[in-house]
Amino acid sequence: MGEAIVITSGKGGVGKTTTTANIGTALALQDKKVCLIDTDIGLRNLDVILGLENRIIFDIIDVIEGRCKLQAALVKDKRFDCLHLLPAAQSSDKNEVTPEGIKELVDELKPDYDYILIDCPAGIEQGYKNAVAGADKAIVVTTPEKSSVRDADRIIGLLEQEDLEPPHLVINRIRKHMMDSGDMLDVDDIVSTLSVELLGVIMDDEDVIRASHHGNPVAFQPDTKASICYRNISRRILGESVPLMSFDEDKGIMVKVKKLLGMK
Amino acid sequence: MGCPKMTETNLYLTMKGTNEGIIVYLDDQCSFITLLNELGSQVKSDTIENTTEVIINCQNRYLQDWQREEIRQVVEEQSSLKVKSIESNVLSHEEALTWFDQSTIKPFVKTVRSGQVLHVEGDALILGDINPGATVNATGNIFVLGQLKGIAHAGYAEGTEHVVVASYMNPNQIRIANKISRAPDYEMQGSSREFAYINQETGQIELEQIHNLQKIRPNLTDIVERGL
C-alpha cells in the first residue's frame, strides 16, 4: 500500500511543482514506484517540467468524469518505467473537481505504487482542499523570504486541522551569501518560526532552471548541488538519516582564480 | 463586615447597622409581592434620617433585574433612603458560568499561526509561539510562554488594567482595551521577558521588564474579584 504525500506552499512560485518533479524523480532513481498527480487544474505545469507534455492523451478530469479509465490517463515517464504522471486538465477549472473525487482516485492508485506525490496549486481555496483530501502526509515548500514563510505558516495551520501527520518542511532556493549577510531569513529562523520538522534544504542553482527548461528534472543529474539536495530529501523520505548538506562553497585558490578570469 | 450595632426585626425584614452602613436583610421564603408591600410600609414608617444609604441583602432569593429595579423603586419612592447596592447569595447558572469564564486562566498548547484568530474569555496562557500574522484576543490578560510575534489583544472588552506578558516579545502589534501600539518601521530585535500595560499617566501602552510586574500590577492574580 503506497503513501500519498501532498506538496504544498500557500504562496505561488516557491517551487512546488519543481519539488514534486524532482522528489518524484529521486524516488524513482531509488527504484520506487511513484505516481505524480498534478492537481493544478487549468494551469498545469508538472508535465512540462518532466518533458511529458506531448504524451498526454487523457487527464484527471477525464478520469473523474468517467470518460476514460485511470490507467489510460497515466503517462509513463520517458526515463523511468516506475515513474508515472496523472496530468491536470488545462481547459477546465478547479471547481470541477471535489475533494471526494480526488480522494477516490488516490485510493485507487495506492495499491499499485510506493509513493503518490500530489502537486498542489497555490492558494488556500478549492484547489488546495482538493489536493489535500487524498493525502496521508504533507510537505510544505517555502523559500527564505518573509512572504513565503508567512504563507507557509498559514498553510501549516490549515494542515493541522486536517487528518494528516505533522507536515515536513522543504526550504527552497537558499542563497548562502544572502543568509550570511542577513538579507534573507536563515534556516534556523525559519524552522523555529514554523516549528515543524525540516525535511531538507535546496540550494539556489541555475541548473534547476536549465533542467526544467529542457524538460529533464535536475535530480537526474549526477553532481549539481540541487540534485544532491533533492536526492537527499528522497533518502530521508525513505527513512534514511542523511545530514544536511554543508552550505560552504569551495574556497580553493583555483576557484578564486577561475572566478577572477570569469570562467566560473 | 463590621460588628452589628443595632438590630431591628420583624417577620420579613431584618435591619442591621454595621460599619458599612445599614443592611436590610429580606426574607427569602415569602412571596415577592408580600416582600415589596412589607418593605414599602416599613421604610415609610422608618425614622431613619434622610439620604442614608442602605444595602439590601436578599439572602437566598434569586432576583431578576426587573425585581431588583422594583425593590429600588419601592425604597426610594417611599422614603428618602438611597439603595447603595443589592446583594444576594445566589447566582444564576449562566452568571456563574460567565464568572467562571472570566476568572479562569485558559491554557493552549499550540503554535498560533498566521491567519489564525484565537478568542479567549478570561486569561489566555499560550504554551507556544504566536507567529506573525496570528491574533490572540482575550478579555483578560495574555501570558505567552513562547515568542510573541503576532498580535495580542488583552482586555478585549474594555479592561485597561490587563497586561500582555511574553517570554520573548517582538510583536506586530499589542492592543490593550482600545489602545493600539505597533512595532517600529525599522527592523528590531525582540526582547526577553517583558510585559505590556497601559500607563495610566500617559495613557499609552508601555513595555517593562517582567520583574516590574509586581510593582505595576500587584493585583494581577486577584482573579476572584473579577467579573462580579
Side-chain angles (χ1 to χ4, degrees), chain A residues 146 150 153-154 156-158 160-161 192-196, chain B residues 111-116 129 131-133 147 149 172 187:
Chain A
K146 276 189 172 175
R150 197 78 84 250
D153 192 38
R154 176 86 174 109
I156 293 167
L158 293 172
E160 282 172 350
Q161 292 163 18
S192 93
T193 300
L194 298 179
S195 59
V196 289
Chain B
T111 302
V112 192
R113 296 183 182 276
S114 177
Q116 296 179 332
D129 296 342
N131 276 354
Q147 305 194 13
K149 298 191 217 157
N172 291 138
E187 275 297 296

Side-chain angles (χ1 to χ4, degrees), chain B residues 85-151:
Chain B
S85 62
I86 300 180
E87 293 174 350
S88 168
N89 296 340
V90 286
L91 278 180
S92 75
H93 189 67
E94 207 176 309
E95 283 168 338
L97 283 182
T98 313
W99 175 71
F100 179 78
D101 253 353
Q102 295 291 333
S103 60
T104 43
I105 296 181
K106 312 271 181 348
F108 293 87
V109 188
K110 64 182 281 191
T111 302
V112 192
R113 296 183 182 276
S114 177
Q116 296 179 332
V117 180
L118 200 61
H119 188 88
V120 183
E121 292 290 327
D123 289 351
L125 175 63
I126 313 290
L127 299 163
D129 296 342
I130 300 177
N131 276 354
T135 308
V136 175
N137 298 327
T139 57
N141 302 298
I142 298 176
F143 309 113
V144 187
L145 285 189
Q147 305 194 13
L148 170 55
K149 298 191 217 157
I151 299 174

Side-chain angles (χ1 to χ4, degrees), chain A residues 26-42:
Chain A
L27 284 168
L29 276 169
Q30 305 251 9
D31 281 336
K32 296 293 167 193
K33 287 207 76 181
V34 182
C35 182
L36 309 177
I37 304 179
D38 189 351
T39 61
D40 199 347
I41 294 154

Side-chain angles (χ1 to χ4, degrees), chain B residues 48-226:
Chain B
I48 301 171
E49 276 173 48
N50 287 352
T51 67
T52 309
E53 290 195 323
V54 293
I55 298 166
I56 309 267
N57 188 319
C58 44
Q59 304 192 71
N60 292 335
R61 181 193 296 271
Y62 180 72
L63 289 182
Q64 311 244 0
D65 283 344
W66 63 268
Q67 292 175 313
R68 284 169 184 260
E69 204 40 52
E70 223 157 279
I71 289 185
R72 190 182 291 271
Q73 270 177 14
V74 166
V75 175
E76 291 181 357
E77 277 168 18
Q78 303 288 336
S79 70
S80 50
L81 294 174
K82 269 240 158 299
V83 178
K84 191 175 166 196
S85 62
I86 300 180
E87 293 174 350
S88 168
N89 296 340
V90 286
L91 278 180
S92 75
H93 189 67
E94 207 176 309
E95 283 168 338
L97 283 182
T98 313
W99 175 71
F100 179 78
D101 253 353
Q102 295 291 333
S103 60
T104 43
I105 296 181
K106 312 271 181 348
F108 293 87
V109 188
K110 64 182 281 191
T111 302
V112 192
R113 296 183 182 276
S114 177
Q116 296 179 332
V117 180
L118 200 61
H119 188 88
V120 183
E121 292 290 327
D123 289 351
L125 175 63
I126 313 290
L127 299 163
D129 296 342
I130 300 177
N131 276 354
T135 308
V136 175
N137 298 327
T139 57
N141 302 298
I142 298 176
F143 309 113
V144 187
L145 285 189
Q147 305 194 13
L148 170 55
K149 298 191 217 157
I151 299 174
H153 191 165
Y156 191 63
E158 49 197 75
T160 52
E161 288 295 300
H162 295 299
V163 296
V164 176
V165 188
S167 58
Y168 177 83
M169 187 78 97
N170 192 10
N172 291 138
Q173 282 181 9
I174 286 190
R175 306 177 184 168
I176 299 175
N178 58 358
K179 295 268 186 288
I180 296 180
S181 96
R182 67 167 172 83
D185 286 327
Y186 52 86
E187 275 297 296
M188 60 172 285
Q189 288 286 314
S191 42
S192 292
R193 296 182 301 282
E194 285 197 331
F195 72 97
Y197 69 105
I198 295 184
N199 186 330
Q200 299 299 353
E201 283 162 27
T202 60
Q204 297 300 317
I205 295 176
E206 293 182 6
L207 288 177
E208 272 293 347
Q209 290 288 310
I210 203 163
H211 59 252
N212 293 322
L213 186 55
Q214 57 175 346
K215 260 185 264 165
I216 292 168
R217 288 285 182 274
N219 301 322
L220 188 69
T221 52
D222 293 351
I223 50 180
V224 186
E225 299 288 325
R226 205 183 302 152

Side-chain angles (χ1 to χ4, degrees), chain A residues 5-11 14-16 19 23 120 128 132 137-143 148-160 164-172 190 194 196-202 233, chain B residues 113:
Chain A
I5 305 175
V6 61
I7 291 155
T8 181
S9 72
K11 190 173 181 298
V14 298
K16 286 178 294 297
T19 302
I23 294 179
C120 177
Y128 158 81
V132 169
K137 287 184 174 178
I139 293 175
V140 174
V141 183
T142 185
T143 62
S148 76
V149 171
R150 197 78 84 250
D151 289 359
D153 192 38
R154 176 86 174 109
I155 241 23
I156 293 167
L158 293 172
L159 287 168
E160 282 172 350
L164 295 176
E165 292 178 28
H168 288 243
L169 183 69
V170 168
I171 305 175
N172 198 6
I190 298 170
L194 298 179
V196 289
E197 205 172 312
L198 184 64
L199 183 64
V201 295
I202 296 148
I233 288 176
Chain B
R113 296 183 182 276

